[in-house]
Amino acid sequence: MIRQPLLYTLLITVATGLVGCGPAVHFPGPDMPEAAQLVGAFRAYDADRDGTADFFLFTNDLGRVDRIGFGLFGLGRGGPQTIVHLDELDLAAAPHVVIILDGIGYDVLRAFYDRGHLRYFHAPSRVVAPYPSMTDLCLEDALTHRPARGVEAKYFDRNANAIAGGSLAYLRGDNQPYQALLHYRADLIMDALGYIAPSRVYRHELNAAKKAFDKRTSPEFIAYFVSSAGLGTAKGQAGQIEVLVNVERLVNQLMYETRGQVRLTMFSDHGHCYTRGTRIPLEKHLQARGWNVTDTLKGPRDVVYVRFGLVTCANFSTDSPAALATDLAAAEGVEVASHAEDGRVVVYGPAGGKAVIGRAGDSYTYEMREGDPLKLREALATISANPDGSYNDADLLAATADCEYPFALQRLWRAHFGLVENPPDVIVSLADAYYSGTAWMDFFATVASTHGSLNRVNSTTFAMTTLAPLPPVMQSRDLAPALGTLLGEPFPKRKP
């Protein structure tokens, strides 16, 4: 929401001119429960918009849509003329449509699914995103495993001893190599408009993606929708339900037009906090403790604080990471501060807690030196440690997926070692009621929900497909190989 009425009006006018005000995909939204009941269907729709139901969904004993019906006998008293059994179709040559929604949390999606929506898909899997839970990092993990340049498009380049990137770099997609894999993504200028007029931009994206699908030249079609993030930021959970209601219309239209000859996968990059926040004044906190907030490192008390989006994490560069992390952990609103040291990650909690994370192959150690800053003690007691005291990657994922900081050992280690080309020296995870970012962005924006932190609601999202059930709990980087196994070929394909 824009706080300045004249500016708001101007930007809405520009946004409307760019994205239009037309309806979303033409498939009618509301179902027709009386028509469905008449033929024993789960859902019924008027696909040709003549006032009569002619598209029906039927579910199996598990509640998944496994049959679709077309047309009517008589005046609707005889049932569909044609029934297609989806599980009996040979879909080897059918298009594989991958829908990527920005910022949909697992709990919101799961509740929507449990209310009887998106039932072509097998039950959604819980996906734990990398940390910081930022779009570029999450999608690189889910699609290519290639490190982005920085946590965001603006970052500190230690080799150059200067801040690199920024808004122009964002608009060029410099921090988004995964874009080369997408078959639809709105022009990057729409990212900003998606926070100003998110519903309009989302309708535009649905229409544009459908048109791109109709003109596709490849059996794989990957579409990324950025305005779902804008709807979540502006409206919280209500905005995300708006996203899901309308994406279900698109899914229904694809199923209707292809007569079931389509394979569908849908996932998101990260979760959301669903808490209205305020900008955290970390500059004042650092200055009060004798730090010099600057853009270039010259002395041991210099710190570069990179502020770009309004997010529940913050990144810093300094030549004194241990001292800086200790001071940041004491700031109101900071839940976890971490830095790298001798191939390990040192973690600080707000009440003086301290722990050290180590890595040995695919196993991780958690040495609790003062308290338990990651709140993992009880979960770790449920799994067996290796002789060296480390815990296997898979065991940690299963045991900690529901913890306050899920899969924290692996995610924190990667945040400092290899997740991005230019890792920050210190990373902090903020409480949901706080976010980091520039003062000018904070002036213009009202944040009902955002993302970035280490906690479960920010970090946990979903994945689901019509191909077959996915593992119930996954890391983001597990998704591509899991889909490749189900497809019987690499995913994603590399565009020529």
Side-chain angles (χ1 to χ4, degrees):
M1 180 183 297
I2 301 299
R3 295 190 176 122
Q4 300 299 305
L6 291 177
L7 180 59
Y8 178 74
T9 301
L10 175 62
L11 291 173
I12 285 293
T13 301
V14 173
T16 300
L18 286 173
V19 306
C21 294
V25 292
H26 72 257
F27 198 89
D31 65 297
M32 305 174 72
E34 293 182 2
Q37 184 177 12
L38 190 64
V39 299
F42 177 64
R43 295 272 194 269
Y45 298 96
D46 176 16
D48 60 10
R49 292 174 290 177
D50 66 354
T52 305
D54 52 13
F55 180 45
F56 301 86
L57 315 185
F58 299 88
T59 58
N60 60 17
D61 293 341
L62 298 176
R64 188 174 65 84
V65 174
D66 65 343
R67 290 155 290 149
I68 52 179
F70 303 90
L72 291 172
F73 287 118
L75 297 177
R77 290 183 284 272
Q81 292 174 306
T82 303
I83 298 288
V84 174
H85 292 260
L86 299 177
D87 293 341
E88 298 176 6
L89 295 175
D90 181 3
L91 298 178
H96 180 212
V97 177
V98 182
I99 298 169
I100 305 173
L101 301 174
D102 195 306
I104 305 294
Y106 174 81
D107 293 341
V108 170
L109 183 282
R110 181 76 214 203
F112 189 73
Y113 184 86
D114 287 346
R115 290 195 295 270
H117 296 281
L118 295 168
R119 287 304 182 99
Y120 299 107
F121 295 90
H122 292 273
S125 297
R126 186 192 309 264
V127 178
V128 182
Y131 169 71
S133 53
M134 303 295 293
T135 294
D136 294 347
L137 316 186
C138 298
L139 291 186
E140 285 303 319
D141 246 22
L143 292 174
T144 68
H145 295 197
R146 291 174 54 193
R149 294 182 182 179
V151 172
E152 296 184 86
K154 185 177 182 180
Y155 58 91
F156 184 74
D157 184 334
R158 182 165 280 279
N159 290 330
N161 195 17
I163 292 176
S167 297
L168 290 179
Y170 183 93
L171 292 175
R172 292 194 302 264
D174 290 355
N175 207 46
Q176 304 171 23
Y178 61 84
Q179 285 201 76
L181 301 169
L182 304 178
H183 300 86
Y184 171 77
R185 194 232 196 269
D187 291 339
L188 283 159
I189 189 63
M190 290 294 180
D191 291 26
L193 297 177
Y195 289 88
I196 297 168
S199 294
R200 285 187 173 103
V201 174
Y202 185 52
R203 290 195 297 268
H204 164 80
E205 285 192 294
L206 287 172
N207 281 322
K210 178 58 170 61
K211 291 176 182 177
F213 170 77
D214 291 340
K215 297 177 181 179
R216 70 192 183 281
T217 59
S218 167
E220 182 175 84
F221 182 80
I222 304 176
Y224 166 63
F225 297 92
V226 68
S227 55
S228 57
L231 277 162
T233 298
K235 303 180 183 181
Q237 292 191 34
Q240 297 201 337
I241 295 300
E242 181 179 335
V243 169
L244 297 174
V245 165
N246 282 286
V247 82
E248 186 169 41
R249 296 175 67 190
L250 173 61
V251 167
N252 276 327
Q253 185 168 344
L254 292 172
M255 277 290 184
Y256 176 78
E257 292 182 356
T258 65
R259 294 303 195 258
Q261 292 281 345
V262 63
R263 298 173 290 182
L264 298 168
T265 295
M266 185 158 64
F267 67 91
S268 183
D269 48 0
H270 51 70
H272 251 241
C273 71
Y274 307 111
T275 301
R276 189 172 296 274
T278 56
R279 182 175 176 270
I280 188 168
L282 289 177
E283 297 92 340
K284 292 181 179 179
H285 175 82
L286 291 171
Q287 290 164 357
R289 292 191 171 229
W291 292 92
N292 176 37
V293 181
T294 181
D295 291 342
T296 301
L297 299 179
K298 296 179 180 178
R301 300 298 290 181
D302 286 344
V303 56
V304 178
Y305 177 13
V306 178
R307 290 148 290 187
F308 193 57
L310 302 179
V311 293
T312 54
C313 61
N315 308 302
F316 304 85
S317 295
T318 181
D319 291 330
S320 306
L324 178 62
T326 301
D327 282 348
L328 284 168
E332 180 181 353
V334 172
E335 291 190 338
V336 177
S338 61
H339 69 90
E341 183 177 278
D342 298 327
R344 299 184 296 174
V345 174
V346 184
V347 181
Y348 303 86
K354 181 179 179 181
V356 177
I357 300 169
R359 180 184 179 188
D362 289 330
S363 299
Y364 296 85
T365 58
Y366 182 54
E367 180 185 345
M368 291 175 275
R369 294 189 176 176
E370 297 176 29
D372 178 17
L374 297 178
K375 304 177 183 179
L376 294 176
R377 191 191 307 270
E378 292 184 9
L380 294 180
T382 66
I383 57 178
S384 299
N386 297 316
D388 63 356
S390 65
Y391 299 91
N392 293 332
D393 186 274
D395 291 341
L396 284 170
L397 180 61
T400 66
D402 286 319
C403 288
E404 183 169 349
Y405 303 118
F407 207 34
L409 304 187
Q410 194 258 21
R411 296 167 66 217
L412 275 159
W413 196 91
R414 289 188 71 212
H416 290 279
F417 297 106
L419 184 63
V420 298
E421 293 177 358
N422 296 274
D425 294 307
V426 177
I427 306 173
V428 301
S429 178
L430 304 178
D432 288 342
Y434 296 89
Y435 53 80
S436 173
T438 58
W440 73 267
M441 284 188 67
D442 184 56
F443 177 77
F444 287 115
T446 298
V447 179
S449 179
T450 186
H451 62 94
S453 87
L454 186 67
N455 74 18
R456 191 187 72 84
V457 69
N458 279 254
S459 308
T460 310
T461 183
F462 77 95
M464 57 186 184
T465 181
T466 62
L467 299 169
L470 289 165
V473 181
M474 310 169 65
Q475 306 174 61
S476 294
R477 62 178 181 171
D478 294 335
L479 183 58
L483 288 172
T485 298
L486 296 181
L487 291 163
E489 59 183 3
F491 172 84
K493 299 179 186 294
R494 297 299 186 262
K495 293 197 300 187

